[in-house]
PDB file of all heavy atoms in Angstrom:
ATOM      1  N   ILE A 757      27.997 -64.634-156.279  1.00 96.00           N
ATOM      2  CA  ILE A 757      27.069 -64.979-157.348  1.00 96.00           C
ATOM      3  C   ILE A 757      26.924 -63.783-158.285  1.00 96.00           C
ATOM      4  O   ILE A 757      26.860 -62.638-157.856  1.00 96.00           O
ATOM      5  CB  ILE A 757      25.687 -65.372-156.782  1.00 96.00           C
ATOM      6  CG1 ILE A 757      24.725 -65.787-157.904  1.00 96.00           C
ATOM      7  CG2 ILE A 757      25.084 -64.255-155.945  1.00 96.00           C
ATOM      8  CD1 ILE A 757      23.398 -66.330-157.405  1.00 96.00           C
ATOM      9  N   ALA A 758      26.917 -64.071-159.572  1.00 97.00           N
ATOM     10  CA  ALA A 758      26.634 -63.065-160.604  1.00 97.00           C
ATOM     11  C   ALA A 758      25.329 -63.481-161.266  1.00 97.00           C
ATOM     12  O   ALA A 758      25.238 -64.566-161.840  1.00 97.00           O
ATOM     13  CB  ALA A 758      27.760 -63.000-161.625  1.00 97.00           C
ATOM     14  N   VAL A 759      24.339 -62.637-161.177  1.00 98.00           N
ATOM     15  CA  VAL A 759      23.019 -62.991-161.704  1.00 98.00           C
ATOM     16  C   VAL A 759      22.450 -61.813-162.481  1.00 98.00           C
ATOM     17  O   VAL A 759      22.559 -60.664-162.069  1.00 98.00           O
ATOM     18  CB  VAL A 759      22.065 -63.415-160.551  1.00 98.00           C
ATOM     19  CG1 VAL A 759      21.902 -62.310-159.534  1.00 98.00           C
ATOM     20  CG2 VAL A 759      20.722 -63.857-161.093  1.00 98.00           C
ATOM     21  N   GLY A 760      21.867 -62.116-163.628  1.00 98.00           N
ATOM     22  CA  GLY A 760      21.311 -61.067-164.472  1.00 98.00           C
ATOM     23  C   GLY A 760      19.909 -61.407-164.939  1.00 98.00           C
ATOM     24  O   GLY A 760      19.451 -62.551-164.848  1.00 98.00           O
ATOM     25  N   LYS A 761      19.230 -60.391-165.465  1.00 98.00           N
ATOM     26  CA  LYS A 761      17.872 -60.586-165.962  1.00 98.00           C
ATOM     27  C   LYS A 761      17.552 -59.480-166.959  1.00 98.00           C
ATOM     28  O   LYS A 761      18.023 -58.350-166.818  1.00 98.00           O
ATOM     29  CB  LYS A 761      16.871 -60.563-164.797  1.00 98.00           C
ATOM     30  CG  LYS A 761      15.438 -60.883-165.188  1.00 98.00           C
ATOM     31  CD  LYS A 761      14.551 -60.912-163.945  1.00 98.00           C
ATOM     32  CE  LYS A 761      13.097 -61.194-164.292  1.00 98.00           C
ATOM     33  NZ  LYS A 761      12.233 -61.214-163.083  1.00 98.00           N
ATOM     34  N   SER A 762      16.772 -59.831-167.955  1.00 97.00           N
ATOM     35  CA  SER A 762      16.322 -58.867-168.950  1.00 97.00           C
ATOM     36  C   SER A 762      14.819 -58.695-168.842  1.00 97.00           C
ATOM     37  O   SER A 762      14.078 -59.675-168.770  1.00 97.00           O
ATOM     38  CB  SER A 762      16.675 -59.352-170.362  1.00 97.00           C
ATOM     39  OG  SER A 762      16.051 -58.556-171.340  1.00 97.00           O
ATOM     40  N   VAL A 763      14.387 -57.444-168.812  1.00 96.00           N
ATOM     41  CA  VAL A 763      12.957 -57.134-168.810  1.00 96.00           C
ATOM     42  C   VAL A 763      12.717 -56.153-169.951  1.00 96.00           C
ATOM     43  O   VAL A 763      12.970 -54.954-169.827  1.00 96.00           O
ATOM     44  CB  VAL A 763      12.507 -56.518-167.473  1.00 96.00           C
ATOM     45  CG1 VAL A 763      11.017 -56.191-167.528  1.00 96.00           C
ATOM     46  CG2 VAL A 763      12.788 -57.465-166.320  1.00 96.00           C
ATOM     47  N   GLY A 764      12.277 -56.689-171.071  1.00 88.00           N
ATOM     48  CA  GLY A 764      12.022 -55.844-172.240  1.00 88.00           C
ATOM     49  C   GLY A 764      13.272 -55.170-172.759  1.00 88.00           C
ATOM     50  O   GLY A 764      14.218 -55.838-173.168  1.00 88.00           O
ATOM     51  N   ASN A 765      13.289 -53.861-172.680  1.00 95.00           N
ATOM     52  CA  ASN A 765      14.413 -53.112-173.256  1.00 95.00           C
ATOM     53  C   ASN A 765      15.500 -52.799-172.236  1.00 95.00           C
ATOM     54  O   ASN A 765      16.418 -52.026-172.509  1.00 95.00           O
ATOM     55  CB  ASN A 765      13.914 -51.801-173.879  1.00 95.00           C
ATOM     56  CG  ASN A 765      13.390 -50.825-172.827  1.00 95.00           C
ATOM     57  OD1 ASN A 765      13.114 -51.226-171.691  1.00 95.00           O
ATOM     58  ND2 ASN A 765      13.261 -49.574-173.210  1.00 95.00           N
ATOM     59  N   PHE A 766      15.392 -53.392-171.043  1.00 98.00           N
ATOM     60  CA  PHE A 766      16.382 -53.120-170.001  1.00 98.00           C
ATOM     61  C   PHE A 766      16.909 -54.426-169.424  1.00 98.00           C
ATOM     62  O   PHE A 766      16.132 -55.337-169.125  1.00 98.00           O
ATOM     63  CB  PHE A 766      15.764 -52.274-168.881  1.00 98.00           C
ATOM     64  CG  PHE A 766      16.759 -51.713-167.901  1.00 98.00           C
ATOM     65  CD1 PHE A 766      17.469 -50.564-168.187  1.00 98.00           C
ATOM     66  CD2 PHE A 766      16.989 -52.350-166.694  1.00 98.00           C
ATOM     67  CE1 PHE A 766      18.384 -50.043-167.280  1.00 98.00           C
ATOM     68  CE2 PHE A 766      17.903 -51.845-165.776  1.00 98.00           C
ATOM     69  CZ  PHE A 766      18.601 -50.678-166.073  1.00 98.00           C
ATOM     70  N   ALA A 767      18.224 -54.504-169.276  1.00 98.00           N
ATOM     71  CA  ALA A 767      18.852 -55.693-168.687  1.00 98.00           C
ATOM     72  C   ALA A 767      19.856 -55.252-167.642  1.00 98.00           C
ATOM     73  O   ALA A 767      20.478 -54.191-167.771  1.00 98.00           O
ATOM     74  CB  ALA A 767      19.547 -56.522-169.762  1.00 98.00           C
ATOM     75  N   ALA A 768      20.003 -56.062-166.617  1.00 98.00           N
ATOM     76  CA  ALA A 768      20.950 -55.726-165.554  1.00 98.00           C
ATOM     77  C   ALA A 768      21.620 -56.986-165.028  1.00 98.00           C
ATOM     78  O   ALA A 768      21.057 -58.083-165.085  1.00 98.00           O
ATOM     79  CB  ALA A 768      20.243 -54.989-164.420  1.00 98.00           C
ATOM     80  N   ILE A 769      22.832 -56.802-164.513  1.00 98.00           N
ATOM     81  CA  ILE A 769      23.589 -57.884-163.873  1.00 98.00           C
ATOM     82  C   ILE A 769      24.078 -57.379-162.522  1.00 98.00           C
ATOM     83  O   ILE A 769      24.646 -56.286-162.431  1.00 98.00           O
ATOM     84  CB  ILE A 769      24.802 -58.319-164.717  1.00 98.00           C
ATOM     85  CG1 ILE A 769      24.359 -58.845-166.082  1.00 98.00           C
ATOM     86  CG2 ILE A 769      25.613 -59.393-163.974  1.00 98.00           C
ATOM     87  CD1 ILE A 769      25.515 -59.130-167.024  1.00 98.00           C
ATOM     88  N   VAL A 770      23.858 -58.177-161.491  1.00 98.00           N
ATOM     89  CA  VAL A 770      24.340 -57.866-160.150  1.00 98.00           C
ATOM     90  C   VAL A 770      25.311 -58.961-159.723  1.00 98.00           C
ATOM     91  O   VAL A 770      25.026 -60.147-159.900  1.00 98.00           O
ATOM     92  CB  VAL A 770      23.172 -57.789-159.140  1.00 98.00           C
ATOM     93  CG1 VAL A 770      23.683 -57.843-157.704  1.00 98.00           C
ATOM     94  CG2 VAL A 770      22.371 -56.504-159.357  1.00 98.00           C
ATOM     95  N   ALA A 771      26.442 -58.556-159.168  1.00 97.00           N
ATOM     96  CA  ALA A 771      27.383 -59.509-158.586  1.00 97.00           C
ATOM     97  C   ALA A 771      27.486 -59.217-157.099  1.00 97.00           C
ATOM     98  O   ALA A 771      27.896 -58.120-156.700  1.00 97.00           O
ATOM     99  CB  ALA A 771      28.754 -59.397-159.241  1.00 97.00           C
TER     100      ALA A 771
END
Side-chain angles (χ1 to χ4, degrees):
I757 182 174
V759 59
K761 185 177 179 180
S762 170
V763 179
N765 67 343
F766 191 82
I769 299 173
V770 165

